[in-house]
Amino acid sequence: MMEQAVLRLSPSSLTPDQLKENHEALKKEQRSEARTMFRLTLPAILIVGLLMVAPIGWLLSMSFVGQDGRLGFENYVLFFSEAVYREMFINTFIIAFVVTVICLILGYPVAYLMAILPSPWAGFLMLAVLMPFWTSGLVRTFSWLIILQRNGLVNQMLVWMGVIERPIALVHNMTGTIIGMVHIMVPFLILPLYASMKAIDLNLMRAAANLGSTPAHAFRRVYLPLSMPGLIAGTIMVFVMCLGFYITPALLGGGKIKMIAQRIEESLALYPTWGPAAALAVLLLVMTAVCLGVSLMLVRRLTAES
Amino acid sequence: MESHVSHRERFWLYIFVGLVIFYLVAPTFIVVPVSFSSTTSLSFPPPGWSTRWYEAFFGQEKWIGSTWVSLRVAFGTMVLATVTGVAASYALHVSRLPLGNLIRSTLISPLAVPSILIAIGIFFVYARIGGMLNTIYGMILGHSVVAMPFVILTMSAGLQSYDMTQEMVARSLGANRFKAFMTVTLPQLKFSVATSMLLSFLVSFDELIISLMISSGPVSTLSRVTFATLRDDVDPTLAAVSTLMLIVTCIPPLVLHIVTNRAKKKGA
């Protein structure tokens, strides 16, 4: 019995009609399987689609509606004509740039050490990097408020060391905003960097040394280029996330530092018109998409080359 | 593997990385001693010790109420995001859906979209359909959007290292698909599922911007009340709140880390 069943499945012993029937049955089965599987993804798609994709499409359309209800670029023109908006854009980019550069300087050595140290030490470093990653951004922002305040730890230390004569303003300004944002962003740079460094064969560095290059030279010519994909991915991720930052600038900037996200929130809270806020939102989204797209392209090209 | 450079040559690197790690880890914990301060000042070290700020926390409706809201929303998000996310990642893994890649990137995209945009989008939808603003359910749904990518990424990684033929074997032995999944596949993915649950709980518990937009009054989350207090009047009750939040968000991941490490060692 069993034998026959198996035989009937072998194509050579089937008549063309049976073959066709078999083929169709298989196709039908495949289609019903695809349907079942699609149904399984449906709840997740509904949640994300209804609450994120659809309203973003709506924002896009709203951004072209002016105050008088007519279609046009009125909201976008606003950004170029009004100094408030110009200043906010410049502010946002300066902060994002400075934070990214500081994160690079702080993060690269940590990722490097994490990649070359033996297991227990590397694990310890990883835990230390992930630790702030887990903790709430609000808690960390509050900590910085305590540390950076006028009679806080940092000011006390600086006065005690004789660097400054009396406490300086470290918080509720640009300095505080940047210190707090770097603290939140460094892990986002370290993790992708570490992933690409972990894949580098350290024998390559030995080979370079054997061939007569100094450690610094070998690092620059061998290690740095090989870590480039992670470096680009991490850098752009940090930069993009900085562009859309809300909590830290709102609290550590003391209302003086205005970035895009705060301006969006503010214009929605203060004015009933959605147009300018929608246009700002669309700009933020486009900048994010462009940055991520460029980084993806660069990383692909670099990994394809090596 | 060790490189050819000696420890002595790397001395400055060790110092530098040590300082960075100190900068990353130490500041957060300053809220713990400050929360036990006896005065209203936020100075460190505190001039004297007391538990009055914890008493203030547990004695005030705004803190207790919002903590309950946060915990309920986070629990709901954990269930909703994990169930829908696990189902979606399983489906995306086992079958080559026609639009599989598009679906996957859509579900992960909330990670890349600035949260302020997600927040105003959700606000708009809720303002239109009505009955969702200022509700626990509305917040659970909203938080599930931002928790979804974490579930999808964690589950995809877990499914990648799982051998699907095991489920095939179970099905060929007579189990239906659902039973095979529940009794064979799911137990082996338990660490990924646990990580997904933990992540979605934490993402929701921490989430602020969406809560700022779609909730107020008695349904404010703890993070929303904390944010408002931080902006208006700062006192050491906030340090007590922060210490409690630190415990909620730090201990579970540490436990999970230790448990998975032990399980991996056992498996090896």
Side-chain angles (χ1 to χ4, degrees):
Chain A
M1 279 301 271
M2 203 58 191
E3 203 117 292
Q4 221 163 3
V6 173
L7 275 178
R8 264 180 65 76
L9 278 179
S10 118
S12 55
S13 67
L14 295 175
T15 64
D17 269 358
Q18 281 174 319
L19 247 179
K20 203 175 158 206
E21 202 179 306
N22 250 8
H23 189 68
E24 262 167 21
L26 272 175
K27 266 236 159 119
K28 207 171 152 195
E29 169 107 10
Q30 226 166 33
R31 271 199 301 271
S32 101
E33 165 116 353
R35 263 201 306 277
T36 318
M37 287 302 134
F38 183 71
R39 255 180 242 139
L40 277 179
T41 62
L42 216 54
I45 296 175
L46 272 180
I47 293 175
V48 176
L50 221 69
L51 292 182
M52 196 193 80
V53 181
I56 282 179
W58 167 82
L59 269 179
L60 188 66
S61 67
M62 273 308 272
S63 70
F64 293 107
V65 178
Q67 295 245 300
D68 49 5
R70 263 185 307 186
L71 283 177
F73 292 93
E74 188 187 310
N75 298 314
Y76 292 95
V77 174
L78 207 66
F79 302 144
F80 299 101
S81 56
E82 278 193 37
V84 198
Y85 282 107
R86 248 201 322 268
E87 200 182 311
M88 176 222 36
F89 272 115
I90 294 171
N91 244 337
T92 307
F93 275 97
I94 290 178
I95 291 175
F97 182 76
V98 172
V99 169
T100 310
V101 169
I102 299 177
C103 282
L104 262 177
I105 296 169
L106 298 186
Y108 197 92
V110 178
Y112 175 70
L113 208 54
M114 223 152 85
I116 63 169
L117 281 184
S119 155
W121 289 104
F124 170 75
L125 279 182
M126 182 56 118
L127 209 61
V129 169
L130 285 179
M131 166 83 209
F133 207 58
W134 287 113
T135 31
S136 152
L138 268 177
V139 173
R140 291 195 272 162
T141 304
F142 180 55
S143 299
W144 283 115
L145 270 177
I146 300 174
I147 295 168
L148 297 175
Q149 62 180 319
R150 200 158 279 277
N151 56 357
L153 264 183
V154 174
N155 264 323
Q156 281 176 31
M157 290 257 283
L158 290 177
V159 171
W160 179 76
M161 288 193 302
V163 181
I164 49 173
E165 272 180 24
R166 68 181 70 144
I168 49 170
L170 292 169
V171 83
H172 297 311
N173 57 21
M174 186 81 109
T175 317
T177 308
I178 287 175
I179 293 176
M181 279 174 74
V182 168
H183 190 237
I184 288 172
M185 287 301 168
V186 168
F188 288 97
L189 188 83
I190 291 178
L191 294 178
L193 203 49
Y194 169 73
S196 77
M197 283 176 171
K198 199 67 198 156
I200 298 175
D201 187 351
L202 286 178
N203 282 324
L204 289 173
M205 294 289 277
R206 284 214 191 107
N210 272 346
L211 294 170
S213 92
T214 62
H217 187 253
F219 177 82
R220 203 158 44 84
R221 295 298 296 271
V222 180
Y223 201 87
L224 194 61
L226 284 173
S227 67
M228 210 41 108
L231 192 66
I232 292 173
T235 308
I236 299 208
M237 187 146 94
V238 168
F239 186 77
V240 160
M241 288 178 74
C242 284
L243 290 181
F245 231 79
Y246 179 81
I247 307 173
T248 312
L251 292 173
L252 293 178
K256 276 176 247 161
I257 305 298
K258 291 269 186 297
M259 290 177 73
I260 301 176
Q262 283 152 280
R263 177 62 69 181
I264 295 176
E265 198 260 351
E266 221 168 63
S267 54
L268 279 183
L270 295 179
Y271 320 107
T273 51
W274 283 76
L280 263 185
V282 169
L283 270 183
L284 180 57
L285 192 69
V286 169
M287 286 189 292
T288 306
V290 167
C291 284
L292 290 179
V294 167
S295 109
L296 210 64
M297 217 176 64
L298 282 176
V299 170
R300 269 210 192 125
R301 185 171 295 170
L302 279 173
T303 30
E305 264 171 22
S306 59
Chain B
M1 186 185 288
E2 273 292 325
S3 78
H4 59 286
V5 186
S6 74
H7 288 294
R8 188 199 293 256
E9 280 173 289
R10 276 207 226 113
F11 179 71
W12 289 111
L13 183 63
Y14 292 143
I15 297 284
F16 185 80
V17 171
L19 286 174
V20 176
I21 292 297
F22 181 77
Y23 162 76
L24 283 180
V25 174
T28 313
F29 293 100
I30 201 165
V31 296
V32 181
V34 170
S35 71
F36 290 104
S37 167
S38 61
T39 63
T40 46
S41 76
L42 290 171
S43 55
F44 179 86
W49 306 97
S50 81
T51 53
R52 58 189 277 208
W53 304 111
Y54 288 91
E55 284 157 33
F57 173 84
F58 287 106
Q60 265 175 290
E61 172 53 32
K62 82 164 178 179
W63 293 116
I64 294 298
S66 62
T67 306
W68 264 120
V69 171
S70 271
L71 289 175
R72 279 157 69 196
V73 171
F75 185 80
T77 306
M78 178 179 93
V79 174
L80 183 64
T82 308
V83 170
T84 55
V86 167
S89 30
Y90 174 79
L92 287 168
H93 184 76
V94 295
S95 77
R96 288 197 206 93
L97 282 175
L99 295 168
N101 272 336
L102 182 70
I103 294 174
R104 185 187 298 273
S105 14
T106 307
L107 295 183
I108 298 175
S109 66
L111 206 58
V113 176
S115 35
I116 183 82
L117 298 190
I118 301 178
I120 54 176
I122 293 172
F123 172 73
F124 168 75
V125 173
Y126 285 1
R128 280 289 159 96
I129 57 179
M132 292 296 268
L133 281 174
N134 294 324
T135 61
I136 299 275
Y137 303 109
M139 268 192 285
I140 291 174
L141 264 177
H143 288 184
S144 293
V145 176
V146 282
M148 192 66 75
F150 294 93
V151 178
I152 302 282
L153 289 174
T154 313
M155 289 313 298
S156 301
L159 281 162
Q160 213 112 86
S161 55
Y162 168 71
D163 186 3
M164 260 309 159
T165 44
Q166 293 181 48
E167 195 179 297
M168 291 299 188
V169 171
R171 287 174 69 191
S172 77
L173 289 171
N176 65 25
R177 177 146 226 162
F178 184 69
K179 194 165 182 201
F181 176 76
M182 293 307 267
T183 54
V184 178
T185 305
L186 202 58
Q188 299 199 51
L189 292 171
K190 59 176 184 254
F191 284 120
S192 303
V193 176
T195 310
S196 303
M197 289 168 74
L198 180 70
L199 282 171
S200 36
F201 185 92
L202 290 181
V203 164
S204 165
F205 195 79
D206 255 6
E207 206 292 322
L208 171 65
I209 305 179
I210 295 175
S211 309
L212 270 180
M213 280 290 203
I214 65 168
S215 77
S216 63
V219 277
S220 297
T221 58
L222 182 60
S223 60
R224 192 189 194 286
V225 174
T226 308
F227 180 78
T229 315
L230 265 174
R231 201 150 52 168
D232 304 338
D233 58 324
V234 178
D235 73 54
T237 317
L238 278 168
V241 176
S242 298
T243 307
L244 293 174
M245 280 168 100
L246 206 61
I247 293 170
V248 172
T249 54
C250 261
I251 304 289
L254 275 177
V255 171
L256 189 79
H257 185 83
I258 292 163
V259 170
T260 30
N261 261 8
R262 194 166 292 166
K264 266 183 202 151
K265 264 184 201 142
K266 232 185 235 171

